[in-house]
Amino acid sequence: MKENLIFFSGIFVILLITLNCGSLLPSIKETPKARWKSFDEAKNTFEKIIPYQTKTEELHQLGFDPFLTPNLKISTYLDIIQLFMFNPFMFNPSIKKEELDDGIQACIDAKTKCTAYEIGLKNVSRARHGSVFLDLFNFKRRTKETGWEFKALIVIVDNIVVYKLWGGKPIIDESREVKNPLGPLQNPSDLLIDTTIK
């Protein structure tokens, strides 16, 4: 009886110590290798590209070289057609070629002479915080995600940039809270999810 009391007392003390010690919770940092260390740095370099003036060699000097710079994807004119003419999330699926930007039209007309670079850069950290006890036993999990994300498209025809487009998230600051009243006994599919983005 005394041994059981000591055992449970020890467990209770450990739980009290770790109840709010968020540093014990796991964290993830996603930082793909790239020459640009911030959103502004990537955007400022991208703005140096001038359609119908910047050549492929100059593009590579700026760092947009898929054979030397990680995380740059090479796309074809078929990918461009799919992106601009058959993507319901961006444009009307029935859009006509004549309604597209001149650079995109030039790419489609050039066919295999057209190449595009797709850039996807992100620097994101995800950390769980809050009560270690509630997190460990799956009662409540709170996650915070911070960082930035930069996306861009560069279209090249006959070694000349004819079109460029950029977007992304300069500041990522998102919080997510998952509540599970029954803790480890509850099916994960029954979780009540409350997502808050600040």
Side-chain angles (χ1 to χ4, degrees):
M1 183 69 177
K2 185 177 180 181
E3 293 178 351
N4 289 339
L5 182 61
I6 295 175
F7 174 77
F8 286 111
S9 297
I11 294 295
F12 181 71
V13 170
I14 293 174
L15 292 178
L16 285 178
I17 293 174
T18 62
L19 188 59
N20 292 304
C21 188
S23 62
L24 297 178
L25 294 173
S27 62
I28 299 174
K29 185 164 186 178
E30 186 177 349
T31 312
K33 186 177 180 181
R35 62 180 295 168
W36 303 283
K37 304 305 179 184
S38 69
F39 180 92
D40 288 337
E41 188 177 340
K43 180 177 175 292
N44 291 337
T45 304
F46 184 80
E47 288 179 341
K48 296 177 181 179
I49 302 171
I50 303 174
Y52 295 100
Q53 291 187 29
T54 303
K55 297 181 179 180
T56 305
E57 307 82 61
E58 298 170 314
L59 198 61
H60 292 173
Q61 290 174 6
L62 290 173
F64 299 101
D65 185 345
F67 295 101
L68 296 177
T69 304
N71 305 306
L72 266 67
K73 175 186 174 183
I74 302 175
S75 299
T76 69
Y77 79 100
L78 295 176
D79 297 317
I80 296 299
I81 292 174
Q82 183 68 29
L83 178 64
F84 284 91
M85 299 184 70
F86 299 103
N87 188 340
F89 296 102
M90 293 184 61
F91 295 98
N92 187 324
S94 61
I95 192 170
K96 297 179 181 178
K97 188 184 77 171
E98 293 74 21
E99 298 173 324
L100 297 174
D101 184 275
D102 291 342
I104 300 301
Q105 292 186 49
C107 172
I108 295 173
D109 291 337
K111 295 184 178 180
T112 56
K113 293 183 179 180
C114 174
T115 302
Y117 295 164
E118 294 184 50
I119 300 101
L121 307 173
K122 64 166 62 175
N123 188 321
V124 177
S125 296
R126 299 180 186 89
R128 297 223 297 264
H129 60 97
S131 167
V132 174
F133 172 75
L134 296 178
D135 187 288
L136 180 64
F137 290 96
N138 203 29
F139 286 103
K140 181 190 287 187
R141 287 184 175 174
R142 300 170 63 189
T143 306
K144 187 172 183 63
E145 182 176 294
T146 58
W148 56 271
E149 182 178 7
F150 180 82
K151 296 181 179 180
L153 174 69
I154 303 171
V155 181
I156 306 163
V157 175
D158 289 328
N159 293 319
I160 298 286
V161 175
V162 297
Y163 181 83
K164 70 173 188 174
L165 183 69
W166 70 272
K169 298 178 181 179
I171 300 175
I172 297 176
D173 189 353
E174 301 180 359
S175 296
R176 182 171 183 264
E177 184 175 292
V178 178
K179 297 179 181 178
N180 189 0
L182 299 181
L185 301 179
Q186 187 167 347
N187 191 317
S189 63
D190 296 331
L191 294 180
L192 174 62
I193 299 176
D194 177 23
T195 303
T196 305
I197 299 177
K198 299 179 180 180

